[in-house]
């Protein structure tokens, strides 16, 4: 925490300590330990959890099916949501680090799909990349995903085929992996999955390709914003009683500001688990695919109400023009006396910088080419869909992600965490990072193991599908390329629409 921030926290604690009721009782307020959240604090936000059918406590095994499920999202209307196990979001997967996850997946959708485990260091054949790591799961077919959760953190899962449409229609879910040896972070946990849908007034879906070329260029924001599948739900808080929010931006394009004036936020983690140290921030912005893990300290007047609101985020050319403010999460501070918040540990984890001694340097340019065919214009290093990078197990590389386009792009790499080479950032492991328009960002990555074909792409899924994606071939220790699972299959949906 910065010195001013710490001073602010101390000042706040001191203000509470001398609050009138505390003086009247002639005692300091109780610290938040043992003080519970308001009754029903998270009832509007709870998500379904899967039914574990494996008696082994270290194995989480369940059936997951994707199907069209009618739901009431806009009151009084019906939306044919594309859902996992009939819930929106899909079931929240909770496990401990080292647990094995076995998911028996059945596709009951009218089109092919796969599941990608975003941020999870899976073996290559579990990555859900159609045509690279597995065949598409056709309607009526099944596929079993089976892997060990190697890292603690907040992750998520979603399809990797026709993904702009499939994800925006509701196919996504969160994964929380806990590590009991981590330092205790204050606050009861709340998992928040932010997303949006393009809905007509009658609840039906807008066309997935609405807006044509401009829809692709800007990325499609659905105008119905959802938190855990609901429009502007409420969380109840008590002043001083912390909550630990694990937030996933599962929207296909929308960036989310995370801010609420008069309350405080201490970010403790992100994509790849805890950061090295906590960081107090008045406002954060999440890009699609990213996660944050943040301690929220309610500091509102007892009995007051506030709301987190979406505001236009400038993510490049014209994207912030004409947007309106949309409240997406209401925060009700219950009418109970404030208590003193608990301290957040100042050292969360040690993150060794990647050794760059023999690092190979590469350029990954995020390009928008000329021409008017939207399927041809977005690319990586000037190629739509087809660019391939190559490396080998054990190699360390530095990539300069050079965004030469007029729009921001959240850059995502499958299979490996990276470190952003920027001294102004607190060290953490990332798998998705925003690269603002006309800027460069350098990342370091070590291909520690798991040879195979991986993907890298923009997580604005309209951009990904238009071509801003590439593949990464990691040869094994003998220099052998992986066996491809199906020659000539499509890397993405283009042929499946
Ligand atoms: Cu979350 Cu390749 O994606
Ligand atoms: Cu993009």
């Amino acid at each position: 925490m910065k010195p001013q921030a710490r001073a602010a926290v101390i000042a706040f604690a001191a203000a509470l300590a001398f609050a009138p009721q505390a003086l009247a009782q002639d005692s300091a307020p109780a610290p938040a330990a043992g003080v519970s959240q308001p009754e029903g604090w998270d009832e509007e936000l709870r998500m379904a959890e899967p039914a574990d059918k494996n008696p082994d406590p270290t194995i989480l095994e369940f059936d997951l099916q994707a199907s069209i499920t009618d739901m009431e999202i806009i009151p009084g209307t019906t939306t044919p949501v594309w859902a996992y196990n009939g819930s929106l979001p899909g079931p929240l997967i909770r496990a401990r680090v080292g647990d094995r996850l076995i998911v028996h997946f059945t596709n009951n959708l009218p089109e092919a799909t796969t599941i990608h485990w975003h941020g999870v260091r899976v073996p290559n054949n579990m990555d859900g990349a159609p045509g690279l790591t597995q065949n598409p799961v056709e309607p009526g077919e099944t596929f079993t995903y089976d892997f060990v959760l190697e890292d603690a953190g907040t992750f998520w899962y979603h399809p990797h085929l026709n993904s702009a449409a499939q994800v925006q229609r509701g196919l996504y879910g969160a994964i929380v992996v806990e590590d009991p040896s981590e330092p205790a972070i204050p606050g009861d946990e709340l998992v928040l999955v932010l997303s949006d849908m393009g809905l007509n007034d009658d609840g039906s879906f807008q066309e997935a390709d609405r807006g044509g070329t401009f829809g692709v260029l800007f990325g499609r924001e659905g105008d119905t914003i959802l938190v855990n599948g609901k429009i502007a739900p409420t969380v109840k808080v008590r002043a001083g009683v912390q909550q630990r929010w694990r937030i996933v931006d599962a929207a296909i394009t929308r960036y989310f500001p995370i801010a609420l004036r008069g309350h405080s936020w201490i970010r403790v983690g992100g994509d790849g688990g805890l950061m090295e140290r906590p960081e107090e921030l008045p406002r954060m912005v999440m890009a699609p695919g990213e996660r944050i893990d943040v301690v929220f300290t309610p500091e509102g007047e007892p009995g007051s109400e506030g709301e987190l609101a979406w505001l236009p985020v400038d993510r490049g050319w014209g994207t912030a023009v004409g947007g309106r403010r949309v409240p997406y999460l209401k925060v009700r501070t219950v009418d109970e006396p404030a208590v003193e918040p608990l301290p957040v540990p100042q050292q969360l984890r040690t993150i060794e910088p990647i050794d760059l001694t023999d690092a190979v340097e590469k350029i990954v340019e995020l390009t928008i080419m000329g021409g008017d065919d939207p399927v041809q214009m977005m690319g990586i290093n000037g190629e739509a869909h087809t660019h391939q990078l190559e490396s080998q197990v054990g190699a360390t590389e530095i990539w300069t992600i050079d965004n030469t386009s007029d729009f921001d792009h959240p850059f995502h790499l499958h299979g490996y965490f990276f470190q952003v080479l920027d001294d102004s950032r607190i060290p953490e492991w990332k798998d998705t990072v925003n690269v603002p328009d006309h800027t460069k960002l350098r990342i370091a990555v070590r291909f520690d193991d798991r040879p195979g074909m991986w993907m890298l792409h923009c997580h604005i899924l309209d951009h990904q599908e238009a071509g801003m994606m590439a593949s990464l071939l990691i040869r094994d220790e003998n220099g052998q390329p992986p066996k491809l699972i199906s020659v000539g299959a499509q890397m993405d949906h283009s042929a499946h629409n």
Side-chain angles (χ1 to χ4, degrees):
M1 209 186 302
K2 297 205 181 72
Q4 297 120 297
R6 188 175 301 120
V9 168
I10 291 167
F12 170 67
L16 280 178
F18 295 102
Q21 61 269 57
L23 282 177
Q25 291 159 12
D26 196 31
S27 66
V35 178
S36 52
Q37 300 293 343
E39 183 154 344
W41 64 286
D42 65 346
E43 70 192 3
E44 292 188 22
L45 292 152
R46 279 185 213 138
M47 287 183 279
E49 295 194 19
D52 185 1
K53 48 184 202 179
N54 193 308
D56 184 329
T58 66
I59 302 177
L60 175 55
E61 180 172 8
F62 62 95
D63 297 328
L64 188 71
Q65 54 112 6
S67 63
I68 295 180
T69 308
D70 283 344
M71 291 185 203
E72 182 176 343
I73 292 180
I74 298 175
T77 70
T78 300
T79 300
V81 174
W82 290 35
Y84 290 122
N85 285 2
S87 68
L88 180 72
L92 166 62
I93 298 174
R94 264 182 198 286
R96 283 187 164 193
V97 70
D99 283 357
R100 180 170 161 203
L101 186 66
I102 305 173
V103 180
H104 302 284
F105 175 63
T106 304
N107 179 13
N108 291 325
L109 298 168
E111 65 181 45
T113 190
T114 63
I115 304 180
H116 170 59
W117 309 91
H118 184 125
V120 181
R121 289 197 293 166
V122 293
N124 191 247
N125 63 353
M126 293 287 115
D127 197 44
L132 290 187
T133 69
Q134 70 168 95
N135 282 313
V137 185
E138 297 293 337
E141 286 184 358
T142 61
F143 189 92
T144 296
Y145 293 94
D146 182 348
F147 51 85
V148 171
L149 296 158
E150 308 276 3
D151 301 285
T154 312
F155 308 101
W156 65 297
Y157 58 99
H158 63 79
H160 225 293
L161 203 67
N162 193 15
S163 35
Q166 292 194 6
V167 174
Q168 200 170 47
R169 288 176 188 157
L171 293 170
Y172 46 79
I175 305 171
V176 171
V177 184
E178 271 152 32
D179 180 350
S181 72
E182 282 179 350
I185 308 289
D188 296 282
E189 188 176 283
L190 182 62
V191 181
L192 299 172
V193 180
L194 312 181
S195 65
D196 63 25
M197 272 182 181
L199 296 179
N200 298 311
D201 290 344
D202 64 358
S204 60
F205 286 121
Q206 293 170 0
E207 292 303 316
D209 60 357
R210 61 190 180 274
T213 306
F214 279 101
V216 172
L217 262 180
F218 283 83
R220 295 174 177 101
E221 289 174 351
D223 42 23
T224 303
I225 298 183
L226 301 173
V227 180
N228 295 3
K230 298 204 171 108
I231 299 171
T234 298
V235 56
K236 290 188 225 165
V237 304
R238 175 172 173 181
V241 182
Q242 286 138 318
Q243 298 184 0
R244 178 180 182 180
W245 290 5
R246 291 178 181 263
I247 315 178
V248 179
D249 184 346
I252 65 164
T253 293
R254 190 180 291 274
Y255 286 48
F256 278 91
I258 310 289
L260 184 56
R261 207 185 291 201
H263 301 258
S264 100
W265 305 88
I266 299 172
R267 187 163 85 88
V268 294
D271 299 348
L274 295 177
M275 307 152 77
E276 199 167 69
R277 309 184 297 279
E279 182 176 32
E280 174 142 11
L281 295 159
R283 175 177 192 266
M284 293 159 277
V285 175
M286 294 183 77
E290 281 189 306
R291 285 85 68 207
I292 61 172
D293 185 349
V294 65
V295 176
F296 172 65
T297 307
E299 295 177 3
E301 271 301 306
S304 67
E305 198 159 292
E307 57 199 16
L308 277 76
W310 184 85
L311 292 162
V313 174
D314 185 356
R315 50 181 181 83
W317 195 78
T319 49
V321 175
R324 65 196 166 87
R325 181 179 184 278
V326 185
Y328 64 85
L329 178 63
K330 297 189 184 127
V331 176
R332 183 175 308 144
T333 306
V334 297
D335 198 3
E336 287 172 52
V339 295
E340 190 180 337
L342 292 166
V344 173
Q346 289 305 294
Q347 179 69 36
L348 299 168
R349 179 185 188 180
T350 305
I351 294 184
E352 294 292 341
I354 293 177
D355 178 0
L356 301 177
T357 319
D358 295 311
V360 176
E361 295 251 8
K362 288 185 182 160
I363 309 264
V364 176
E365 190 184 339
L366 308 178
T367 42
I368 298 185
M369 292 89 85
D372 42 30
D373 178 358
V375 185
Q376 295 294 318
M377 66 193 177
M378 297 268 178
I380 287 188
N381 289 347
E383 292 177 60
H385 292 288
T386 54
H387 190 72
Q388 183 169 306
L389 290 106
E390 290 193 24
S391 190
Q392 180 155 351
V393 156
T396 299
E397 302 200 340
I398 297 172
W399 291 1
T400 299
I401 316 294
D402 185 3
N403 179 358
T404 57
S405 78
D406 292 335
F407 296 92
D408 291 16
H409 302 287
F411 173 83
H412 172 48
L413 173 62
H414 287 210
Y416 303 93
F417 291 114
F418 52 80
Q419 294 179 352
V420 178
L421 300 176
D422 171 356
D423 291 338
S424 70
R425 298 177 188 230
I426 293 176
E428 65 175 317
W429 293 104
K430 294 285 288 171
D431 58 56
T432 308
V433 65
N434 188 49
V435 188
D437 67 290
H438 297 286
T439 63
K440 294 182 182 139
L441 196 132
R442 278 165 34 102
I443 63 170
V445 57
R446 188 173 150 75
F447 304 118
D448 46 0
D449 56 7
R450 293 166 303 116
M453 281 292 258
W454 301 97
M455 280 183 169
L456 45 132
H457 59 85
C458 174
H459 222 287
I460 290 179
L461 296 178
D462 290 304
H463 293 178
Q464 175 208 325
E465 293 192 352
M468 195 171 281
M469 63 187 310
S471 55
L472 167 68
L473 184 158
I474 303 291
R475 293 174 191 275
D476 67 17
E477 41 294 322
N478 305 313
Q480 293 305 307
K483 266 211 228 85
L484 288 189
I485 57 97
S486 65
V487 177
Q490 292 294 312
M491 276 172 55
D492 203 65
H493 81 298
S494 334
H496 291 266
N497 259 348

